[in-house]
Amino acid sequence: MSERVIRDIGVLGTGLWESPPIGNEVFGPEFAIRSTVRDPYNGLRGDDGIVRVAGTELIPGQHDRTIAAVEHSFTDPYRGARRRRWFPDDLLVSSAETEAATNALEDAGVDASQIGAVLVHSFLPDGINPKNATKIADNLGITGCLAFEVESVCSSTLSQMMVAGSLIAAGQADYVLCTQSIAYSRLRDPNASTTVFEADMASAFVMGRVPGCEMAFSFRTVGGLHGAISLEWRRPTGAPPTPVWHGPRERLHMSFDRELQKKVNADVAEYAKITTAEALGKAERRIEDVEIFISHQPMSWFRPYMEDTLGLADGVAYDTFEEYANINSPSVTASIHEARKEGRLRRGANTLLYCPAAGYTYGAVAMRW
């Protein structure tokens, strides 16, 4: 087998920030009427039968599962989400990340003092710089290692797996703690229909030596799509930049470039094929060998889209969209966590992970769990 496969290293435990779920009733009975006309990504079926959604073409006979899911989604004012979590206004994101990390350490049976590195992705951190890594380490009483950010937005779980596995394989750490978080509620526009399927979460996993586990990675970077989705500082039109110590008028603004976003949506399936095939090839496996497939979950129909794109058998793909909605980088860890609890993800299972991520990057991991 290729030396590019990381062997005998795997995930020992997982954990989430625990909070009571918030149901769709929070939006009120009038939401269903208001949401339909405001959705900018409403799918349209052409005379040729092809369903076009923001640059994605769904062809009958090739994307039947996706078309059914898209058409169902656009008749549902909640876009397939049934529950979600939002951080309380007074909760520090680092505190949520610490809770998830504590739960992952307990699940792994690893003491915080044994951790050799802490890898973190916080969207949004408590402050601009320094970010949350050292705060999480301090909250856990970890002092004997480096704590730093490893982030590739939505695919941060995959990036952290590669870095953590490499650190352990190189003998630089026995155990590595990885955390991810998203705080969409602190950015959301209450008048935007996406509010119903964007949520908050903090997640974590611990990696260490696990005989028989294997990981093979594939990544692609397309920097020309960097502006498709961005979170940036905006200042009033015509206003000069203001030094931060003078009280800036800038505000955080999440923006979307519609044309670049169409390009992203048009390309995501091709990069799914490229990266998953390469990762599986390194692991000397085929798509038919995959027992469970987990991906990012930006919308309710992304899972069936991947099923159709990759030719996955029914029941192989797994997600947690109905329970957690779109939770950015924690989505893969949350699905791993729930699949383990349900017994869907067992030791030795041939597992495939795939994530697109703003920037833009695309990544896949073929694993023997």
Side-chain angles (χ1 to χ4, degrees), residues 113-133:
S113 63
Q114 297 174 278
I115 294 298
V118 179
L119 314 182
V120 174
H121 170 233
S122 308
F123 186 143
L124 302 156
D126 297 347
I128 298 173
N129 266 313
K131 297 187 176 71
N132 289 1

Side-chain angles (χ1 to χ4, degrees), residues 8-51:
D8 298 324
I9 296 170
V11 175
L12 296 170
T14 56
L16 303 179
W17 170 70
E18 302 290 347
S19 175
I22 300 168
N24 288 338
E25 64 274 6
V26 71
F27 298 103
E30 75 285 356
F31 181 84
I33 298 173
R34 294 190 293 117
S35 68
T36 303
V37 298
R38 290 179 301 130
D39 196 320
Y41 292 103
N42 193 19
L44 299 174
R45 184 189 287 269
D47 293 338
D48 53 6
I50 296 175
V51 175

Side-chain angles (χ1 to χ4, degrees), residues 227-239:
I229 303 175
S230 60
L231 179 63
E232 56 193 21
W233 288 107
R234 288 282 180 89
R235 61 180 184 269
T237 302

Side-chain angles (χ1 to χ4, degrees), residues 45 58 63-73 301 304 308:
R45 184 189 287 269
L58 306 173
H63 300 105
D64 291 340
R65 288 177 285 193
T66 312
I67 291 172
V70 166
E71 292 183 336
H72 178 266
S73 174
W301 51 269
D308 286 339

Side-chain angles (χ1 to χ4, degrees), residues 212-213 285 291 346-351 367-369:
C213 286
R285 296 189 190 94
E291 297 172 80
R346 53 175 177 74
R347 285 296 175 204
N350 286 326
T351 306
M367 311 174 69
R368 177 171 287 123
W369 194 265

Side-chain angles (χ1 to χ4, degrees), residues 81-288:
R82 296 292 170 261
R83 288 163 293 277
R84 78 278 299 142
R85 279 81 175 159
W86 289 335
F87 292 148
D89 290 342
D90 60 351
L91 178 72
L92 291 174
V93 172
S94 59
S95 297
E97 292 166 327
T98 300
E99 179 181 327
T102 300
N103 292 336
L105 288 165
E106 181 179 355
D107 185 44
V110 174
D111 189 80
S113 63
Q114 297 174 278
I115 294 298
V118 179
L119 314 182
V120 174
H121 170 233
S122 308
F123 186 143
L124 302 156
D126 297 347
I128 298 173
N129 266 313
K131 297 187 176 71
N132 289 1
T134 54
K135 294 183 72 173
I136 297 167
D138 184 62
N139 290 343
L140 296 168
I142 298 173
T143 59
C145 72
L146 180 62
F148 60 107
E149 276 68 33
V150 173
E151 55 182 81
S152 53
V153 201
C154 301
S155 64
S156 294
T157 292
L158 277 59
S159 303
Q160 291 177 355
M161 283 182 174
M162 184 176 70
V163 173
S166 299
L167 287 170
I168 296 168
Q172 298 299 310
D174 292 327
Y175 302 99
V176 176
L177 171 65
C178 303
T179 74
Q180 314 84 40
S181 69
I182 179 65
Y184 273 135
S185 68
R186 297 178 182 181
L187 291 167
R188 73 177 184 265
D189 177 356
N191 294 313
S193 61
T194 53
T195 297
V196 297
F197 63 89
E198 291 177 342
D200 300 342
M201 181 50 60
S203 59
F205 59 90
V206 177
M207 290 187 63
R209 295 281 179 181
V210 184
C213 286
E214 297 171 352
M215 298 185 295
F217 297 87
S218 173
F219 290 96
R220 291 292 187 277
T221 297
V222 187
L225 299 175
H226 184 274
I229 303 175
S230 60
L231 179 63
E232 56 193 21
W233 288 107
R234 288 282 180 89
R235 61 180 184 269
T237 302
T242 306
V244 293
W245 55 86
H246 288 170
R249 290 180 291 172
E250 289 87 351
R251 64 185 179 87
L252 276 175
H253 178 79
M254 181 172 283
S255 63
F256 298 82
D257 184 302
R258 183 64 59 83
E259 294 307 311
L260 285 179
Q261 193 63 39
K262 288 181 179 179
K263 176 66 173 171
V264 168
N265 291 341
D267 289 350
V268 67
E270 187 62 25
Y271 282 108
K273 294 174 185 176
I274 291 170
T275 56
T276 57
E278 185 169 85
L280 287 167
K282 291 178 181 179
E284 298 181 0
R285 296 189 190 94
R286 304 169 304 157
I287 194 70
E288 293 82 7

